[in-house]
Amino acid sequence: MGIGLLLLVFAVVWLVIGLVRRPSPSAQKAWARGVTGISVLLILGAVLYGATVETSSGYDGPSPALLALLVVAIAVAPGVIAALVRSGKSS
């Protein structure tokens, strides 16, 4: 199982979690806040991981922290957007 497939599965699961309907508008807003908060924590964890990665002396690309941030942000963005839109529709 490649890392790309694993990331895709995570993104789909996170989207499904973001789409979960809660019984009341206040519960839906709390769910959206929870999904958003966990997403922020995942992004911060990825940045911290990327900051600790050592690169070779000849490496000329973007910083590993930035790459980790982008990959995780792209993976969790659909779930966060879905949760926030669903939260706004329920009020």
Side-chain angles (χ1 to χ4, degrees):
M1 184 184 245
I3 190 74
L5 182 61
L6 186 66
L7 190 61
L8 179 64
V9 168
F10 175 77
V12 169
V13 168
W14 199 245
L15 176 62
V16 170
I17 288 171
L19 288 172
V20 170
R21 181 179 292 278
R22 305 312 307 169
S24 69
S26 61
Q28 190 67 39
K29 286 184 182 186
W31 185 257
R33 279 187 236 122
V35 169
T36 304
I38 292 171
S39 297
V40 168
L41 290 175
L42 287 171
I43 291 170
L44 288 175
V47 169
L48 290 175
Y49 171 76
T52 62
V53 172
E54 293 185 23
T55 57
S56 64
S57 59
Y59 181 71
D60 231 5
S63 91
L66 177 64
L67 292 175
L69 167 81
L70 290 174
V71 168
V72 174
I74 289 170
V76 298
V80 171
I81 292 168
L84 292 174
V85 167
R86 191 172 288 264
S87 168
K89 285 178 133 181
S90 68
S91 57

